[in-house]
């Protein structure tokens, strides 16, 4: 009865609600640092906008084109509003991409490890996903990605900065990589964490005029602290946008989410402050890992991916002390979302204590 591609899927497991996890573990208060959420919250402008939402309009369908949000995002990015496609989270845009372009037997190329949802949705459509391992330092193997392309390749995913490594590929290197990919391959550049980059202002939005085969994706879930509202979007080449719009559900972005995302977008001071706080925490945490002589990937995102001896035990130890990290992305490695200054300090003390007691 099931379609063949569904039978062996490795589904994306959503985060356990914190109250359930606290009940299961008996730990009074758990701080989730496993989903790259913003530990500092959301712009107060968002709360004001939601409180100002006209309740009497609840009976009406939302604006199916999210026009106010569309205009504001287009202006901020310097793109044509008609090139934007919004989704119920970037997750939905990822699903839509697979749904629009892939047929059974098609091939998709991605670096590995990367965000697992790419593979999930490509496999549901019956495509074969070719994983090209990242270089040892976490950077893209550009030559490997280019050689993995065959006449059957339809899509290539490039997450920049990459999840889970946090590794950032500068714009010049991205341009070099894209030059090696045939125009017949649509390259999907997931910039969920681009706003956290302090190294240079290197969004692939700047490459949209140079390359006709790239899509740039963004989300409100990470730096804007709006994960609950489910808003993501993509900038799409003009010749492809109507096809993707046709596949999209007509009212996929609810009215309150549209209002919230617009308020978040306009609070540029909040975003700048978050970028600064996260960058400070990132440098501090990397310094701690250096001092402990632990191996990690250089991150430009709001998380750090590190190699931890006895990773499963450390994960459990941190959980029992109130901190949930992400495991299972690469054997022996954990991913930590940078938290508040106090939480980061507490975690560092716990890591030290764990390895001291193990000796
Ligand atoms: C979190 C994340 C997303 C999904 O974001 P939503 O907008 O919350 O669906 C997409 N891509 C990457 C790389 C992410 O880390």
């Amino acid at each position: 009865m099931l379609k063949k591609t569904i039978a062996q899927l490795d589904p994306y497991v959503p985060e356990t609600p914190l109250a359930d996890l606290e009940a299961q573990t008996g730990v009074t208060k758990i701080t989730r640092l496993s989903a790259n959420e913003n530990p500092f919250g959301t712009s107060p402008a968002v709360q004001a906008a939601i409180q100002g939402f006209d309740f009497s309009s609840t009976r009406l369908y939302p604006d199916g084109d999210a026009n106010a949000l569309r205009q504001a995002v287009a202006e901020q990015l310097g793109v044509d509003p008609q090139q934007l496609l919004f989704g119920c989270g970037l997750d939905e845009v990822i699903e839509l991409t697979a749904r629009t372009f892939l047929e059974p037997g098609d091939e998709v190329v991605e670096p590995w490890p990367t965000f697992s949802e790419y593979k999930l949705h490509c496999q549901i459509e019956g495509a074969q996903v070719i994983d090209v391992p990242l270089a040892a330092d976490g950077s893209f193997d550009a030559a490997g990605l280019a050689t993995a392309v065959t006449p059957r390749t339809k899509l290539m995913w490039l997450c920049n900065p990459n999840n889970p490594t946090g590794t950032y590929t500068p714009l010049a290197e991205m341009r070099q990589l894209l030059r090696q990919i045939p125009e017949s391959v649509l390259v999907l550049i997931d910039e969920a964490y681009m706003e956290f980059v302090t190294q240079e202002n290197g969004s692939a939005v700047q490459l949209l005029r140079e390359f006709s085969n790239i899509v740039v994706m963004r989300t409100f879930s990470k730096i804007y602290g709006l994960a609950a509202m489910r808003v993501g979007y993509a900038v799409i080449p003009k010749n492809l946008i109507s096809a993707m719009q046709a596949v999209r559900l007509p009212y996929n972005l609810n009215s309150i989410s549209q209002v919230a995302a617009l308020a978040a977008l306009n609070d540029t001071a909040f975003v700048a402050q978050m970028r600064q706080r996260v960058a400070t925490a990132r440098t501090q945490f990397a310094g701690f890992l250096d001092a402990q002589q632990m191996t990690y990937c250089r991150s430009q995102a709001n998380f750090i991916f590190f190699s931890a001896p006895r990773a499963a035990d450390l994960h459990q130890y941190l959980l029992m002390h109130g901190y949930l990290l992400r495991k299972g992305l690469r054997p022996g490695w954990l991913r930590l979302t940078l938290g508040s200054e106090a939480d980061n300090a507490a975690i560092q003390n716990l890591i030290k204590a764990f390895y001291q007691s193990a000796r």
Side-chain angles (χ1 to χ4, degrees), residues 179-219:
R179 283 189 181 144
Q180 296 173 57
I181 310 302
E183 240 181 301
S184 57
V185 176
L186 187 63
V187 182
L188 310 151
I189 305 173
D190 182 339
E191 296 191 341
Y193 301 98
M194 187 54 78
E195 296 93 344
F196 293 105
V197 172
T198 49
Q199 196 172 316
E200 63 161 300
N201 176 19
S203 166
V205 169
Q206 296 167 71
L207 301 177
L208 285 160
R209 278 194 209 92
E210 261 171 81
F211 297 93
S212 59
N213 62 328
I214 64 171
V215 167
V216 182
M217 300 181 169
R218 295 278 185 93
T219 176

Side-chain angles (χ1 to χ4, degrees), residues 55-71:
F55 184 76
S56 71
S57 72
T58 302
R59 68 184 185 83
L60 300 172
Y61 281 106
D63 174 356
D65 293 323
N67 272 310
L69 181 60
R70 172 182 303 275
Q71 292 299 332

Side-chain angles (χ1 to χ4, degrees), residues 62-112:
D63 174 356
D65 293 323
N67 272 310
L69 181 60
R70 172 182 303 275
Q71 292 299 332
V73 169
E75 201 168 305
Q76 206 175 87
L77 294 183
V79 301
D80 182 339
Q82 296 316 316
Q83 280 183 270
L84 293 173
L85 180 136
F86 289 89
C88 177
L90 184 48
D91 284 353
E92 194 196 22
V93 180
I94 292 168
E95 182 206 35
L96 254 169
T97 307
R99 212 162 134 78
T100 307
F101 294 103
L102 297 176
E103 290 171 287
D106 286 343
E107 289 179 6
V108 175
V109 175
E110 65 176 14
W112 191 256

Side-chain angles (χ1 to χ4, degrees), residues 27 29-31 315-324 346 350:
V27 179
K29 186 182 172 295
I30 294 176
T31 301
H315 182 270
Q316 183 64 18
Y317 177 84
L318 291 172
L319 180 59
M320 296 319 285
H321 288 83
Y323 293 104
L324 177 65
L350 287 167

